[in-house]
């Protein structure tokens, strides 16, 4: 009971005394684990700190920069001249390569009193075939992924990617890629056959022609067949065609701004006539803004059209139209994709929502 009373008094002194200061010093305050193996699991190090101030202090918390790093410490008051320990445990699972993690030590007065750092390098564990090729395409064939996304594909730009594949079966298999959706811009190189255990790549590439660029969505979908059969695996390649990069030498450029990013129709009767909502597209730049593409999903219509030109400082009043009679009951949600010649942000989205009721 007497020890608890003393501890409480010391803690109270830490909280209310302004002129006396505790000072927690760790020597060393950094620790290098060196090279550790992921397969060996967690590693720990204990830092020892000393209160070199003239008053007791209490560690309130130790905040880490990553969930992979866990501290263990005591909140017992540390008297002047006394020492305390903070044990730091690092989990290398799925964190190969060089690492450096900081831990910030806070006192009961919510002040930062120390920073600890751990570091090292993790040697990755050997990964299984299932981890390297997580997609089961059927017939013993596995893939690294089913999606290649290129973001913006500028006019005159060539981009390329690959789908890794492996045959895990004990026999050779035939591969076939059947187009489900074709952009007309895809270049494809794929093996027609895979031997047992063979690894290969399905290489894909786009060239957005400079003379006649494609604006808006560029998308291809390819169904993969193994020995003439499919389990529904589809490879998707996707990008957005935009203008060529004008570069930093361009002194004048358009800037596209929307008055609204979300258009809400609210609740509508399914027997209602067409409803309309207005918004404005403004050009805050110094060159003409040109609409290159306007795409939707079919739920709504809009007065925005490719080719609309907006002078600097001007705006265009646009409308979105929704016909409740052509919609199903419930929530309607659609994104309108608008592509312009704005070099900084060539693609913008407007979300349109409604609720169709009886």
């Amino acid at each position: 009971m007497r020890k608890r009373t003393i501890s409480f008094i010391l803690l109270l002194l830490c909280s209310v005394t302004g002129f006396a200061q505790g000072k927690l010093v760790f020597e060393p305050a950094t620790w290098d684990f060196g090279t550790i193996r992921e397969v060996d699991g967690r590693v720990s190090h204990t830092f020892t700190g000393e209160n070199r101030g003239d008053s007791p202090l209490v560690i309130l918390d130790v905040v880490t920069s990553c969930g992979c790093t866990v501290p263990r410490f005591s909140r017992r008051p540390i008297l002047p001249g006394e020492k305390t320990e903070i044990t730091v445990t690092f989990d290398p699972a799925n964190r190969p390569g060089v690492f450096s993690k900081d831990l910030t030590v806070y006192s009961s007065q919510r002040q930062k009193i120390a920073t600890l750092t751990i570091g090292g390098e993790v040697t990755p564990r050997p990964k299984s075939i299932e981890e390297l090729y997580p997609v089961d395409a059927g017939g013993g064939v596995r893939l690294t992924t089913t999606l290649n996304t290129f973001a913006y594909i500028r006019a005159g730009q060539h981009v390329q990617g690959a789908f890794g594949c492996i045959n895990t079966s004990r026999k050779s298999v035939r591969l076939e890629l059947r187009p489900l959706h074709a952009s007309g811009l895809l270049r494809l190189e794929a093996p027609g056959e895979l031997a047992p255990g063979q690894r290969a790549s399905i290489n894909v590439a786009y060239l957005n022609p400079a003379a006649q660029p494609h604006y808006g969505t560029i998308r291809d979908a390819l169904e993969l067949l193994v020995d003439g059969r499919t389990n529904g695996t589809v490879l998707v390649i996707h990008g957005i065609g935009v203008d060529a990069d004008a570069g930093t030498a361009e002194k004048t450029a358009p800037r596209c701004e929307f008055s609204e990013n979300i258009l809400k129709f609210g609740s509508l009767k399914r027997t209602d006539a067409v409803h309309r909502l207005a918004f404005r597209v403004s050009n805050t730049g110094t060159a003409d803004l040109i609409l290159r593409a306007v795409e939707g999903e079919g739920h709504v219509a809009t007065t925005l059209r490719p080719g609309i030109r907006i002078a600097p400082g001007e705006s265009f009043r646009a409308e979105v139209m929704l016909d409740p009679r052509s919609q199903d009951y419930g929530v309607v949600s659609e994104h309108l994709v608008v592509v312009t010649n704005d070099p900084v942000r060539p693609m913008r989205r407007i979300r349109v929502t409604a609720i169709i009721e009886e």
Side-chain angles (χ1 to χ4, degrees):
M1 180 63 69
R2 183 179 180 184
K3 290 183 179 180
R4 290 182 180 178
T5 303
I6 294 174
S7 296
F8 176 78
I9 294 173
L10 290 174
L11 180 59
L12 185 61
L13 287 172
C14 290
S15 301
V16 301
T17 304
F19 57 86
Q21 296 292 326
K23 182 179 180 182
L24 190 59
V25 177
F26 290 87
E27 292 181 345
T30 63
W31 181 257
D32 185 359
F33 284 105
T35 301
I36 60 177
R37 301 194 309 167
E38 184 181 354
V39 294
D40 292 337
R42 297 178 177 86
V43 292
S44 298
H45 174 72
T46 298
F47 292 92
T48 300
E50 182 180 354
N51 183 359
R52 295 183 182 176
D54 52 11
S55 68
L57 60 82
V58 174
I59 296 176
L60 174 68
D61 199 5
V62 179
V63 179
T64 69
S65 58
C66 175
C68 59
T69 308
V70 179
R72 190 175 71 251
F73 59 95
S74 171
R75 290 189 173 88
R76 180 184 62 83
I78 310 164
L79 299 176
E82 282 192 345
K83 295 182 178 181
T84 190
E85 293 182 343
I86 297 178
T87 299
V88 179
T89 300
F90 173 74
D91 187 354
N94 300 314
R95 294 177 177 87
V98 176
F99 68 92
S100 179
K101 308 296 179 182
D102 293 330
L103 300 95
T104 304
V105 184
Y106 291 93
S107 72
S108 57
Q109 296 173 313
R110 301 187 181 279
Q111 295 178 338
K112 177 182 174 180
I113 55 176
T115 299
L116 306 176
T117 302
I118 61 169
E121 183 173 1
V122 178
T123 301
R125 63 178 173 79
K127 292 187 177 181
S128 67
I129 293 296
E130 288 74 19
E131 289 175 303
L132 295 172
Y133 299 86
V135 180
D136 181 2
V141 175
R142 303 188 68 89
L143 305 173
T144 54
T145 183
T146 58
L147 178 65
N148 262 278
T149 301
F150 296 112
Y152 293 146
I153 307 176
R154 298 190 177 274
Q157 183 182 21
H158 177 266
V159 295
Q160 58 187 11
F163 300 89
C165 58
I166 185 173
N167 178 11
T168 63
S169 73
R170 297 182 179 180
K171 64 181 183 66
S172 295
V173 295
R174 290 180 294 106
L175 297 185
E176 179 185 353
L177 290 167
R178 177 187 298 165
L180 300 179
H181 185 278
S183 67
L185 299 177
L186 182 69
R187 297 181 181 180
L188 177 67
E189 293 181 357
E193 184 175 278
L194 287 179
Q198 182 182 352
R199 304 184 188 208
S201 293
I202 300 171
N203 300 314
V204 293
Y206 282 130
L207 173 61
N208 196 0
Q212 293 183 317
H214 179 97
Y215 294 110
T217 299
I218 301 173
R219 181 179 182 273
D220 287 82
L222 307 168
E223 185 178 30
L224 178 62
L225 285 76
V226 180
D227 288 334
R229 295 184 295 273
T230 178
N231 68 353
T233 300
V234 176
L235 308 185
V236 176
I237 308 97
H238 180 274
I240 301 291
V242 299
D243 280 294
D245 189 355
T248 56
E250 188 70 31
K251 295 182 179 180
T252 60
R255 290 291 182 268
C256 180
E257 297 292 342
F258 287 169
S259 62
E260 308 287 342
N261 292 318
I262 302 177
L263 297 173
K264 298 180 180 180
F265 282 97
S267 298
L268 304 177
K269 298 289 186 181
R270 196 164 187 266
T271 55
D272 288 350
V274 174
H275 285 252
R276 298 171 179 266
L277 286 177
F279 64 100
R280 304 196 75 85
V281 181
S282 300
N283 180 6
T284 60
T286 55
D288 282 358
L289 178 70
I290 305 172
L291 271 63
R292 298 299 196 188
V294 180
E295 300 174 346
E297 300 158 13
H299 295 293
V300 301
T302 179
T303 56
L304 286 179
R305 295 287 182 270
I308 290 176
R309 186 181 292 264
I310 306 173
E314 299 294 326
S315 62
F316 177 83
R317 183 183 183 278
E319 288 186 337
V320 168
M321 294 81 73
L322 186 146
D323 187 350
R325 295 165 296 186
S326 64
Q327 309 297 326
D328 293 329
Y329 290 109
V331 176
V332 175
S333 180
E334 175 163 349
H335 284 90
L336 287 177
V337 175
V338 181
V339 177
T340 73
N341 64 332
D342 181 339
V344 175
R345 192 176 175 185
M347 184 191 71
R348 305 290 294 263
R349 284 191 175 95
I350 302 178
R351 187 184 177 197
V352 183
T353 65
I355 300 175
I356 309 301
E357 300 178 333
E358 288 280 3

